[in-house]
C-alpha cells in the first residue's frame, strides 16, 4: 500500500520543541550547564532527513570533568550517605517531573528517534516513569544478611554481609528507546547509592538533555547525575576506560559490548551489558491464527523492529505456515510507516540513513541468496526520511545472514518446522539468547520449550512483555548480568562480608 511521496509530511513541531532545538550545545556537569568547547554533532529528524539541531561532541577534557564531578560527589558521600528514604524520594521527584513534562518528552523522542509520538506517549514515557518508581523503592530495601559461620562455635563470631554502592557508574545507552534506557539505568545506580555519568547515543540525545534540566530541581546533590553527549568511539570510549569509573552499564550492539568489556578489564570495572538478539517466535499448530499473526507482527514491527528483543525469526508449524503468513500479511497493513508526529501513526521511519542502508543491505543480501519477500522488501517512495516497509522473508536457509545476524529493522524471516525437538534446536542455533516466544495452548509443550530454549526471557502467548520488577538480560552473546528487579539494582553494589570475633 504505497502512499504518494507528498503524503509523508511531518507535521509542524510545537513551539516548546522548537525552542528546545534552538539551544546551544551544552553538557550537564555538577548540576550546571557547561557550554561545550569541542566540536558539535548534527541532530536529524529521521521522518524528514533534515538537520534540526546541534549537540556537543564531548572532548576528553569534558569527559574527564564529568567523571571528576561524579567521583567527588561519590567520595564525599553527599549522595551515598543520605538516608535511603531521602534517596528514594529524590528519584520519585525526578519521575514526577518527567510526568509533568510527559508530552514534551514524547514529542522530542518522536522528533529525534522517529518513533511515533503517540507510541512514545503511551509506552516510552510512562514506562520510564514507572521503571523509576519501582526502582526508587529499592533504595530503602537493599540489605545484607546475617550468616552463621560453619566452622566457628556458636556465638564466637558475628558475621554478616553488607550491600554497598560500587561507586561511579558510566552508563551508555542506545538510540532505540532513549529515555526508557536512560531512566532504567540511572534509577538503578541512584537507588544503590552510586553517582553517574550518562551518555545517550549520538543519534538520540535530546530527551537525556531535557532530563538534565530536571536533575537539580528534583533535589540531586551536584555531581550525582552528569549527562554528556558525544560519539561512542571518543566520548564513550574515554568513559569506559577511565580509571575513576568503577562500573559500566551499557546497552547496545554485541560488537560494541565486546569492545567495552575489553576496555573495562584494565581496571577490572564491573560491567552490565545488554546486547543484541535474534529472538525466535515459535507458533505451534493448535494456536488461533489471527491471534498468533497479530502477536508475530507486533513482535517484529514494533519500533520499526529496532528492538533488541524483536521477534525476528519466525518458526511456524508446517501445517499452519501458509495460513499464518496470510494472516500476517493482513495484520501488517496496520504497520505501514508514517512520519513520527502524524496522529495515529504506529510505526515510524528507521533512526538514520546508516540504519536504513544496513537494513536494505540485509534484505538485498537475503534476496541474492535465494530468499523472497512475502511482503515488503522495499522502501516507500518519499522525499526524505528513512522509511522501510514491513518485510517478511520466506524461502530462507539457516546459513543466510538474514537468519543469523541481527538486522534491527522491520524484517522477519519465516521458517517451517515439524516437531518440538527440531524447533528447539533451530531456536538455539544462534549466538544470541535474549528473548523467545512460544505460542500454544498445549501446557506441556510450552513448558518443555521454555526449559530448552537458551534465552534470558521466555514469553508464552505474548512477546516483548517487560516489567520493572522482573530481571532482564541475555544468555550467550546477548549480554552479561541482569537489569530490572532486585538484581538490576544489586548490579550497582559490592557485596562486603564482615567477620567480628566476639
Ligand atoms: P548501534 O550499532 O546500534 O548504533 P552501538 O552499540 O554502536 O549501537 O551504540 C550504543 C551506544 O554505545 C551509543 O551510545 C554509542 O555512542 C556507544 N558506543 C559506541 N561505540 C563505543 C565505544 N567504543 N565505547 C563506548 N561507547 C560506545
Amino acid at each position: 500500500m504505497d502512499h504518494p511521496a507528498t503524503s509523508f509530511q511531518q507535521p509542524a513541531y510545537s513551539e516548546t520543541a522548537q525552542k528546545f532545538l534552538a539551544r546551544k550545545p551544552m553538557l550537564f556537569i555538577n548540576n550546571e550547564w557547561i557550554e561545550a568547547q569541542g566540536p558539535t554533532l548534527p541532530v536529524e529528524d529521521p521522518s524528514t532527513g533534515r538537520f534540526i539541531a546541534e549537540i556537543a561532541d564531548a572532548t576528553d577534557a569534558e569527559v574527564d570533568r564529568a567523571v571528576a564531578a561524579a567521583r567527588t560527589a561519590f567520595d564525599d558521600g553527599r549522595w551515598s550517605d543520605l538516608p535511603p528514604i531521602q534517596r528514594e524520594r529524590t528519584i520519585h521527584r525526578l519521575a514526577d517531573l518527567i510526568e509533568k513534562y510527559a508530552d514534551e518528552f514524547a514529542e522530542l523522542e518522536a522528533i529525534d528517534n522517529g518513533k511515533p509520538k503517540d507510541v512514545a506517549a503511551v509506552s516510552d514515557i510512562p514506562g520510564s516513569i514507572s521503571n523509576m518508581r519501582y526502582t526508587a523503592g529499592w533504595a530503602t530495601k537493599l540489605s545484607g544478611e546475617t550468616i552463621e559461620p560453619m566452622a566457628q562455635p556458636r556465638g564466637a563470631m558475628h558475621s554478616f554481609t553488607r550491600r554497598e554502592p560500587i561507586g561511579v557508574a558510566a552508563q551508555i545507552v542506545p538510540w532505540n528507546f532513549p529515555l526508557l534506557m536512560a531512566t532504567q539505568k540511572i534509577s538503578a545506580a541512584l537507588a544503590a547509592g552510586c553517582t553517574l555519568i550518562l551518555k545517550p547515543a549520538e543519534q538520540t540525545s535530546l530527551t537525556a538533555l531535557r532530563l538534565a534540566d530536571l536533575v537539580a530541581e528534583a533535589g540531586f546533590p551536584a555531581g550525582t547525575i552528569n549527562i554528556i553527549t558525544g560519539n561512542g568511539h571518543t566520548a564513550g570510549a574515554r568513559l569506559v576506560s577511565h580509571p575513576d569509573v568503577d562500573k559500566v552499564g551499557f546497552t547496545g550492539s554485541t560488537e560494541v559490548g565486546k569492545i567495552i568489556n575489553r576496555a573495562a578489564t584494565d581496571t577490572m570495572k564491573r560491567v552490565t551489558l545488554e546486547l543484541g538478539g535474534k529472538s525466535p517466535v515459535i507458533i505451534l499448530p493448535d494456536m488461533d491464527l489471527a491471534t498468533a499473526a497479530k502477536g508475530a507482527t507486533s513482535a517484529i514491527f514494533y519500533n520499526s523492529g529496532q528492538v533488541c528483543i524483536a521477534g525476528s525469526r519466525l518458526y511456524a508449524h508446517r501445517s499452519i505456515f501458509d495460513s499464518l503468513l496470510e494472516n500476517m500479511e493482513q495484520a501488517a497493513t496496520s504497520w505501514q510507516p508514517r512520519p513520527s508526529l502524524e496522529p495515529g501513526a504506529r510505526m515510524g521511519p528507521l533512526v538514520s540513513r546508516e540504519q536504513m542502508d544496513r537494513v536494505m543491505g540485509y534484505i538485498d543480501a537475503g534476496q541474492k541468496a535465494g530468499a523472497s519477500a512475502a511482503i515488503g522488501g522495499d522502501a516507500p517512495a518519499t522525499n526524505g526520511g528513512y522509511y522501510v516497509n514491513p518485510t517478511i522473508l520466506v524461502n530462507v536457509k539457516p546459513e543466510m545472514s538474514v537468519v543469523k545476524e541481527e538486522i534491527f529493522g522491520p524484517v522477519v524471516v519465516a521458517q517451517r518446522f515439524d516437531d518440538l525437538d527440531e524447533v528447539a534446536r533451530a531456536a538455539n542455533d544462534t549466538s544470541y539468547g535474549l528473548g523467545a516466544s512460544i505460542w500454544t495452548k498445549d501446557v506441556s509443550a510450552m513448558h518443555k520449550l521454555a526449559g530448552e530454549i537458551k534465552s534470558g526471557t521466555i514469553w508464552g502467548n505474548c512477546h516483548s512483555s517487560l516489567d520493572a520488577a522482573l530481571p532482564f538480560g541475555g544468555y550467550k552473546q546477548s549480554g552479561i548480568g541482569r537489569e530490572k528487579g532486585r538484581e538490576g539494582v544489586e548490579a550497582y553494589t559490592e557485596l562486603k562480608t564482615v567477620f567480628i570475633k566476639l
Side-chain angles (χ1 to χ4, degrees), residues 45-47 109-116 338-340 347-351:
D45 179 344
S47 295
E109 207 73 299
I111 291 172
D112 206 13
N113 163 280
K115 69 178 65 203
R338 305 299 307 145
S340 65
M347 186 172 99
L350 300 185
V351 72

Side-chain angles (χ1 to χ4, degrees), residues 277-297:
K278 191 76 182 175
S279 299
V281 173
I282 301 170
I283 303 184
L284 271 56
D286 66 299
M287 203 50 207
D288 167 61
L289 290 182
T291 309
K294 230 173 126 199
T297 46

Side-chain angles (χ1 to χ4, degrees), residues 50-355:
R50 278 193 225 114
F51 292 108
I52 49 169
E54 276 187 327
I55 55 167
D57 185 8
T59 62
D60 285 355
E62 287 162 343
V63 172
D64 293 353
R65 188 167 167 184
V67 174
R71 184 80 256 166
T72 304
F74 183 78
D75 289 346
D76 71 13
R78 69 183 82 164
W79 174 245
S80 58
D81 290 353
L82 289 178
I85 188 65
Q86 204 171 326
R87 284 196 277 115
E88 175 173 340
R89 277 203 208 107
T90 315
I91 300 169
H92 277 300
R93 275 202 298 270
L94 186 57
D96 292 342
L97 289 168
I98 298 175
E99 206 156 30
K100 181 171 168 189
Y101 300 108
D103 188 65
E104 200 183 328
F105 274 105
E107 184 181 1
L108 289 176
E109 207 73 299
I111 291 172
D112 206 13
N113 163 280
K115 69 178 65 203
K117 181 185 173 192
D118 285 357
V119 174
V122 297
S123 180
D124 296 60
I125 314 305
S128 302
I129 295 163
S130 63
N131 264 342
M132 291 182 78
R133 295 208 185 286
Y134 168 83
T135 311
W138 280 112
T140 53
K141 283 147 202 88
L142 287 178
S143 60
E145 277 183 280
T146 304
I147 303 171
E148 295 296 333
M150 59 157 269
Q152 297 284 335
R154 200 170 119 84
M157 192 76 83
H158 177 39
S159 44
F160 58 97
T161 58
R162 289 165 55 88
R163 284 270 166 203
E164 298 181 352
I166 289 182
V168 172
Q171 303 189 304
I172 298 186
V173 293
W175 45 257
N176 56 348
F177 295 94
L179 187 70
L180 199 62
M181 296 288 115
T183 50
Q184 175 168 307
K185 284 215 169 16
I186 68 167
S187 57
L190 294 167
C194 292
T195 60
L196 64 97
I197 308 100
L198 170 74
K199 194 199 81 63
E202 52 273 33
Q203 299 87 341
T204 57
S205 295
L206 298 184
T207 47
L209 291 169
R210 185 66 185 97
L211 180 69
D213 284 339
L214 312 175
V215 165
E217 187 181 345
F220 289 96
T224 306
I225 302 178
N226 306 279
I227 300 181
I228 60 170
T229 57
N231 273 316
H233 63 278
T234 52
R238 183 139 186 119
L239 268 180
V240 300
S241 56
H242 201 294
D244 279 336
V245 167
D246 304 301
K247 159 93 193 183
V248 177
F250 169 77
T251 298
S253 60
T254 293
E255 187 191 348
V256 172
K258 289 179 184 176
I259 296 172
I260 287 180
N261 203 23
R262 276 185 219 113
T265 303
D266 265 352
T267 56
M268 218 43 101
K269 293 177 179 49
R270 278 58 183 143
V271 293
T272 302
L273 305 173
E274 300 294 352
L275 309 176
K278 191 76 182 175
S279 299
V281 173
I282 301 170
I283 303 184
L284 271 56
D286 66 299
M287 203 50 207
D288 167 61
L289 290 182
T291 309
K294 230 173 126 199
T297 46
S298 304
I300 185 63
F301 301 136
Y302 180 70
N303 215 42
S304 308
Q306 302 168 123
V307 185
C308 53
I309 48 177
S312 51
R313 287 185 294 149
L314 174 70
Y315 296 96
H317 191 267
R318 188 174 301 280
S319 62
I320 54 155
F321 185 89
D322 292 335
S323 344
L324 178 78
L325 273 226
E326 278 166 30
N327 277 270
M328 282 181 73
E329 286 165 27
Q330 188 55 37
T333 55
S334 67
W335 289 96
Q336 295 306 308
R338 305 299 307 145
S340 65
L341 297 180
E342 185 175 291
R346 200 172 185 198
M347 186 172 99
L350 300 185
V351 72
S352 62
R353 159 68 57 192
E354 184 190 359
Q355 191 59 19

